[in-house]
């Protein structure tokens, strides 16, 4: 194996799970739970990226587009009402173009007190192959557009369709964003090494993401709900030693379908009634972590 293949990318330091300083969440809660609704906009016929196709079918993919558009027409409202019923705010992974295309969805999320972070401009345009000028333009557009639409200055980033360049983390930190959802390496917040500023990786999830649950693992609604409940119960138990984080990433064209929403309600009821969950927004979790860990070592 060559030295290049052995090289650690140096994104974060290794720290074994059992040897860490104790994290404490408010009111003695053991697991910080945040929900990340992906409020997205997909183009029916996006410009081609040479590194990855936007749709598996030839463009225009009417079926793929319409399936996902159920989220903004129906699924969001069903999912959001259920979250509000049980006291769960959203921390929105936002396709920023939604502010222009369907502002009603963004306005509804803002009225519910949800937090916003950027998921790129469109979820059909990828970071692969971008130069620095293009990537800076997307970050600047995200900051400007979300602030104009909601009054919030974004703090977080989830790359569009989870696509990156080698400079993405450094750039978002340079622009003052202080958390990333793009690393899936831990069940607690982690300091990320960046050239300037401080960046925290907040635990997001692929394993309990509804996209993976339904598209990759082929779960039934009941199986997905039980997976979420098992995830929470284990993290809440381990969090008595040092506070853990559980993210529930959602796409309302999936979880907001009539045949799935009932199982999701059982999850929300279970977590809300358990007593060990700190139900929070992403930024609140990052703030609590930073307040306990101080300045990151550069």
């Amino acid at each position: 194996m060559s030295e290049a293949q052995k090289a650690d990318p140096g994104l974060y330091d290794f720290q074994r799970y059992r040897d860490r300083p104790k994290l404490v969440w408010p009111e003695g809660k053991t697991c910080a739970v945040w929900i990340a609704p992906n409020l997205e906009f997909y183009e029916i016929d996006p410009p081609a990226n040479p590194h990855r196709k936007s749709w598996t079918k030839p463009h225009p993919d009417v079926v793929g587009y319409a399936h996902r558009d159920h989220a903004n027409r129906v699924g969001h409202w069903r999912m959001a009402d259920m979250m509000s019923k049980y006291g769960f705010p959203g921390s929105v992974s936002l396709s920023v173009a939604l502010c222009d295309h369907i502002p009603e969805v963004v306005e509804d999320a803002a009225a519910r007190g949800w937090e916003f972070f950027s998921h790129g401009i469109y979820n059909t345009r990828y970071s692969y192959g971008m130069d620095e000028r293009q990537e800076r333009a997307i970050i600047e557009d995200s900051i400007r557009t979300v602030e104009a639409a909601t009054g919030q200055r974004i703090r977080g980033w989830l790359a569009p369709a989870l696509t990156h360049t080698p400079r993405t983390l450094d750039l978002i930190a340079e622009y003052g964003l202080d958390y990333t959802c793009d690393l899936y390496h831990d069940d607690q917040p982690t300091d990320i090494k960046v050239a300037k500023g401080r960046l925290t990786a907040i635990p997001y999830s692929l394993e309990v993401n509804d996209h993976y649950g339904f598209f990759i693992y082929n779960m039934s609604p009941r199986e997905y709900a039980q997976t979420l409940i098992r995830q929470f119960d284990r993290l809440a138990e381990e969090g008595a030693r040092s506070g853990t984080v559980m993210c529930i990433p959602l796409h309302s064209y999936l979880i907001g379908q009539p045949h799935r929403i009932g199982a999701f309600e059982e999850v929300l009821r279970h977590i809300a009634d358990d007593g060990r969950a700190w139900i929070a927004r992403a930024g609140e979790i990052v703030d609590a972590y930073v307040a306990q860990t101080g300045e990151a070592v550069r």
Side-chain angles (χ1 to χ4, degrees):
M1 183 180 291
S2 71
E3 286 303 315
Q5 289 173 313
K6 292 179 182 178
D8 185 324
L11 297 175
Y12 41 79
D13 291 329
F14 174 76
Q15 192 173 32
R16 173 171 103 145
Y17 190 39
R18 302 300 187 212
D19 297 335
R20 303 174 183 180
K22 183 173 183 176
L23 289 178
V24 178
W25 301 137
E27 300 179 355
K29 306 297 186 180
T30 62
C31 182
V33 178
W34 69 289
I35 295 183
N38 286 264
L39 303 188
E40 297 172 329
F41 195 88
Y42 292 80
E43 301 159 286
I44 193 170
D45 191 11
N49 184 303
H51 301 276
R52 177 178 169 180
K53 291 183 177 180
S54 300
W55 299 108
T56 57
K57 297 179 180 179
H59 300 181
D61 185 354
V62 175
V63 173
Y65 171 83
H67 182 205
R68 285 157 179 79
D69 198 37
H70 180 278
N72 297 319
R73 298 176 62 84
V74 181
H76 163 74
W77 313 92
R78 186 176 284 134
M79 173 194 70
D81 285 348
M82 194 65 71
M83 290 168 58
S84 294
K85 177 179 178 180
Y86 289 95
F88 286 80
S91 298
V92 175
S93 170
L94 180 67
S95 291
V96 173
L98 197 66
C99 296
D100 295 323
H101 289 287
I102 312 179
E104 293 87 348
V105 175
V106 177
E107 291 165 2
D108 178 73
R112 294 175 192 268
W114 291 10
E115 177 178 330
F116 294 87
F117 58 89
S118 179
H119 194 25
I121 308 301
Y122 292 96
N123 212 39
T124 35
R125 300 198 188 189
Y126 308 133
S127 299
Y128 297 140
M130 283 188 182
D131 60 30
E132 183 173 336
R133 178 190 60 80
Q134 291 171 313
E135 196 164 11
R136 285 183 180 276
I138 287 176
I139 297 169
E140 291 169 6
D141 189 333
S142 294
I143 294 170
R144 181 176 58 251
T145 302
V146 175
E147 192 162 13
T150 70
Q152 294 185 31
R153 184 176 176 87
I154 60 170
R155 297 177 52 182
W157 193 263
L158 178 66
L162 313 184
T163 64
H164 315 86
T165 76
R167 71 184 77 86
T168 300
L169 297 176
D170 282 336
L171 284 179
I172 63 174
E174 178 186 328
Y175 279 94
L177 280 66
D178 63 357
Y179 69 85
T180 175
C181 308
D182 279 316
L183 301 171
Y184 312 96
H185 62 297
D186 216 295
D187 291 328
Q188 294 179 307
T190 306
D191 290 327
I192 303 305
K193 296 179 180 180
V194 289
K196 181 180 180 182
R198 176 169 186 163
L199 189 66
T200 298
I202 186 170
Y204 190 71
S205 181
L206 298 182
E207 286 290 320
V208 297
N209 190 310
D210 63 350
H211 174 90
Y212 273 68
F214 298 128
F215 281 167
I216 306 300
Y217 301 139
N218 297 315
M219 293 179 179
S220 69
R222 178 73 56 214
E223 289 169 334
Y224 179 63
Q226 288 301 313
T227 296
L228 291 176
I229 289 171
R230 289 196 302 271
Q231 181 92 344
F232 169 73
D233 287 347
R234 171 62 66 172
L235 287 172
E237 177 184 340
E238 293 180 359
R241 182 184 302 112
S242 181
T244 55
V245 177
M246 177 178 176
C247 180
I248 306 177
L250 299 174
H251 302 76
S252 60
Y253 72 90
L254 295 173
I255 202 66
Q257 294 289 343
H259 65 98
R260 293 187 178 122
I261 197 69
F264 180 55
E265 180 174 14
E266 292 181 17
V267 175
L268 299 183
R269 184 188 299 115
H270 176 88
I271 294 174
D273 290 347
D274 182 87
R276 294 175 292 176
W278 175 33
I279 299 169
R281 298 168 185 83
E284 295 169 324
I285 297 170
V286 171
D287 288 342
Y289 168 74
V290 170
Q292 294 177 65
T293 56
E295 288 300 318
V297 178
R298 293 285 171 248

